[in-house]
Amino acid sequence: MATAIKIENVSKQYRLGVISTGTLSHDLNRWWATKIMRKEDPYLKIGETNDRSTKGKSEYVWALKDINMEIEQGDVVGIIGKNGAGKSTLLKLLSRVTKPTTGTIKYKGRIASLLEVGTGFHPEMTGRENIYMNGAIMGMTRAEITRKLDEIVDFSGCERYIDTPVKRYSSGMTVRLGFAIAAHLDPEILVVDEVLAVGDAEFQKKAIGKMQDVSKGEGRTVLFVSHNMAAVQNLCKRGYILNNGQIYYTGQIDDVVSKYMLNQDIRSQLKLSEIKERKGNGVLKFIDIKFIDEKGIERNTFEVGEKLTIKIYVKVLDSFHISKTSRIDIGINNIMDTRITWLSTYMYSDRVELKDDCVCFFISQLLLNDGMYNVNLYSTVDNDLADWIRNVARLQVVFHDFYKSGRELPEGQGCFITDFKMI
């Protein structure tokens, strides 16, 4: 089978804070070495890996370092990794949004990409005009685009607003139209970042189905980035794990997902205050989480139907106390990183009420099905992200005669237990 994408020794370096090298002498050195002497850029020999959780000593960072991939035509490849691993940078290189600092990328065919909400759209142009503009950029004739127009509009569900400027679209509508354009304009290579997470569940299912059709039925190549392991495993055949800008592991998708989830399990054993991979301005910072049973005992394993209190301990800055709005969310995902349920202070109040720097979520009856669950924590203060951490803890739920019938629940019967009786 023909090779669709070949990536050889690709690296991408950024200088933090400023454009160019920052000084006239450095710019002259770079110009002289690369343009006159035809030598390697001298500033490529310095720099650190892109670990956003620590403060580095160098002003140069490698967002990607020595990446080698060979992707066959018709392959569906998942690229996974934590935030800051280099996934989006790699897709931007493939989509020619930016170019590699070193190395070469060779590809066969047209590339369509959906990297961020609104990528490739002109906000003042209507949805219809943007469809034609994107098609023209991909080298299609107006007649070719016109033949696809009705199909694109129907898939996006934006028919009523197709002649409205895109700047008035919601983020969900923008993603729908962007994906419809990328998937229907006959690209040989389709590149999709985790932007699909913006869409609703119905659209995500529809989009994944379209990507399966594109890869299996039409023999197109698909590169897919997502934090949703179930979607990755369902769609992809092969996968890569990126870590600090380098390839950490590659193989068949089941092996790749298992390896990634094992690393997440190890991470969940860290003390919450020690986790450095987090986002936010720190006005509110999570420092501990505890699962408490009705007797006041801390544990991580609960039976279906038990009472459970989740205690979140935080550290706040003085500005938190004068804030107008604040919230704390608990996202509970299964081990494939699919959202199962969500708890939030927002459902009861506009502000988080702390008692001894702690907020408690009481669950009168835990009705999650038998299994292991990941817990994510998220907080905003005055609508600014304060702290966001993935996979801070593992909660195990076991099924033990919940219906008092002596019978165990069969496997594969959903994520929730329903408290019902026969009458």
Side-chain angles (χ1 to χ4, degrees):
M1 190 174 286
T3 299
I5 301 172
K6 189 171 185 178
I7 302 172
E8 295 181 295
N9 302 316
V10 163
S11 299
K12 180 64 180 178
Q13 186 189 65
Y14 290 106
R15 178 181 169 89
L16 301 178
V18 296
I19 300 173
S20 83
T21 60
T23 66
L24 179 60
S25 62
H26 284 189
D27 284 343
L28 287 172
N29 284 341
R30 171 174 279 175
W31 175 81
W32 180 264
T34 59
K35 302 299 183 183
I36 304 301
M37 303 302 293
R38 301 295 179 183
K39 294 182 178 180
E40 184 182 25
D41 188 338
Y43 297 100
L44 299 184
K45 297 177 183 178
I46 57 179
E48 301 173 349
T49 57
N50 185 26
D51 186 353
R52 290 197 277 183
S53 62
T54 59
K55 183 175 176 61
K57 298 178 181 178
S58 172
E59 295 175 331
Y60 297 87
V61 296
W62 291 102
L64 291 172
K65 187 71 173 174
D66 298 327
I67 301 295
N68 289 278
M69 293 182 180
E70 190 162 334
I71 299 169
E72 302 295 328
Q73 183 179 340
D75 273 359
V76 186
V77 178
I79 301 173
I80 59 179
K82 64 186 181 183
N83 291 327
K87 307 183 299 298
S88 295
T89 300
L90 177 61
L91 296 196
K92 286 175 182 176
L93 293 179
L94 290 170
S95 304
R96 294 165 293 176
V97 172
T98 184
K99 62 181 182 179
T101 307
T102 62
T104 59
I105 300 176
K106 299 176 182 178
Y107 53 88
K108 185 177 182 181
R110 293 183 297 200
I111 296 179
S113 57
L114 187 62
L115 302 179
E116 297 173 3
V117 177
T119 299
F121 283 163
H122 192 295
E124 299 294 337
M125 295 169 64
T126 67
R128 187 187 304 274
E129 291 167 340
N130 272 288
I131 293 173
Y132 279 97
M133 180 184 71
N134 275 267
I137 290 171
M138 290 178 63
M140 299 181 70
T141 66
R142 185 175 183 85
E144 287 177 317
I145 301 168
T146 301
R147 282 198 299 270
K148 293 282 185 178
L149 184 64
D150 289 343
E151 194 176 350
I152 290 171
V153 174
D154 180 64
F155 187 92
S156 69
C158 299
E159 182 176 4
R160 184 177 180 183
Y161 309 98
I162 199 65
D163 292 310
T164 300
V166 167
K167 66 180 180 180
R168 297 196 176 99
Y169 285 18
S170 68
S171 59
M173 287 172 59
T174 306
V175 166
R176 281 175 174 267
L177 185 59
F179 181 83
I181 293 171
H184 286 83
L185 291 183
D186 295 331
E188 280 74 30
I189 301 168
L190 179 60
V191 176
V192 182
D193 206 340
E194 55 190 339
V195 67
L196 289 183
V198 176
D200 55 35
E202 180 187 356
F203 174 68
Q204 289 182 40
K205 184 177 179 180
K206 191 176 179 181
I208 289 173
K210 179 60 180 177
M211 284 190 280
Q212 288 174 328
D213 293 342
V214 164
S215 61
K216 294 177 182 177
E218 304 171 29
R220 311 283 172 79
T221 305
V222 178
L223 274 73
F224 182 49
V225 165
S226 179
H227 285 292
N228 186 328
M229 294 301 106
V232 170
Q233 203 163 21
N234 184 38
L235 179 66
C236 304
K237 299 175 183 175
R238 296 175 53 239
Y240 290 86
I241 300 176
L242 294 186
N243 185 42
N244 293 337
Q246 297 176 306
I247 295 177
Y248 171 72
Y249 187 79
T250 181
Q252 295 300 308
I253 196 63
D254 289 343
D255 296 335
V256 168
V257 169
S258 296
K259 187 82 171 179
Y260 181 71
M261 296 312 300
L262 176 62
N263 290 341
Q264 298 303 302
D265 190 33
I266 293 171
R267 172 187 168 149
S268 70
Q269 297 171 22
L270 295 173
K271 289 184 178 180
L272 184 50
S273 58
E274 295 175 356
I275 294 178
K276 297 177 181 179
E277 298 160 12
R278 58 209 303 163
K279 291 183 177 181
N281 57 24
V283 173
L284 181 149
K285 185 176 181 181
F286 300 114
I287 59 173
D288 201 4
I289 180 172
K290 294 181 179 180
F291 303 113
I292 309 296
D293 66 17
E294 59 183 324
K295 296 180 180 178
I297 299 173
E298 181 183 356
R299 49 190 170 99
N300 285 68
T301 301
F302 287 77
E303 290 185 6
V304 174
E306 278 198 90
K307 292 181 174 64
L308 165 64
T309 299
I310 304 177
K311 288 189 174 183
I312 310 294
Y313 295 86
V314 302
K315 183 179 180 180
V316 298
L317 301 181
D318 291 341
S319 56
F320 171 82
H321 298 292
I322 58 173
S323 61
K324 294 181 179 179
T325 63
S326 56
R327 61 189 275 185
I328 290 176
D329 297 355
I330 300 175
I332 298 180
N333 295 357
N334 64 16
I335 59 171
M336 300 306 292
D337 223 23
T338 300
R339 177 56 48 86
I340 301 302
T341 190
W342 174 80
L343 299 78
S344 177
T345 58
Y346 168 77
M347 301 308 297
Y348 290 96
S349 175
D350 288 335
R351 295 192 76 251
V352 174
E353 299 297 333
L354 295 176
K355 296 180 180 178
D356 299 324
D357 291 328
C358 175
V359 62
C360 297
F361 294 78
F362 174 66
I363 300 171
S364 60
Q365 203 176 26
L366 183 61
L367 296 178
L368 294 179
N369 202 351
D370 188 287
M372 189 74 74
Y373 298 89
N374 290 326
V375 177
N376 302 330
L377 295 179
Y378 176 92
S379 175
T380 61
V381 178
D382 282 336
N383 296 319
D384 289 330
L385 181 61
D387 202 6
W388 182 18
I389 326 177
R390 291 175 172 269
N391 302 328
V392 299
R394 282 281 176 94
L395 174 65
Q396 184 169 11
V397 181
V398 295
F399 185 93
H400 181 65
D401 201 16
F402 175 75
Y403 294 110
K404 308 301 180 186
S405 63
R407 298 188 177 188
E408 292 295 317
L409 198 72
E411 289 187 11
Q413 299 306 314
C415 300
F416 294 97
I417 300 294
T418 301
D419 186 9
F420 72 96
K421 291 180 172 58
M422 303 303 299
I423 57 173

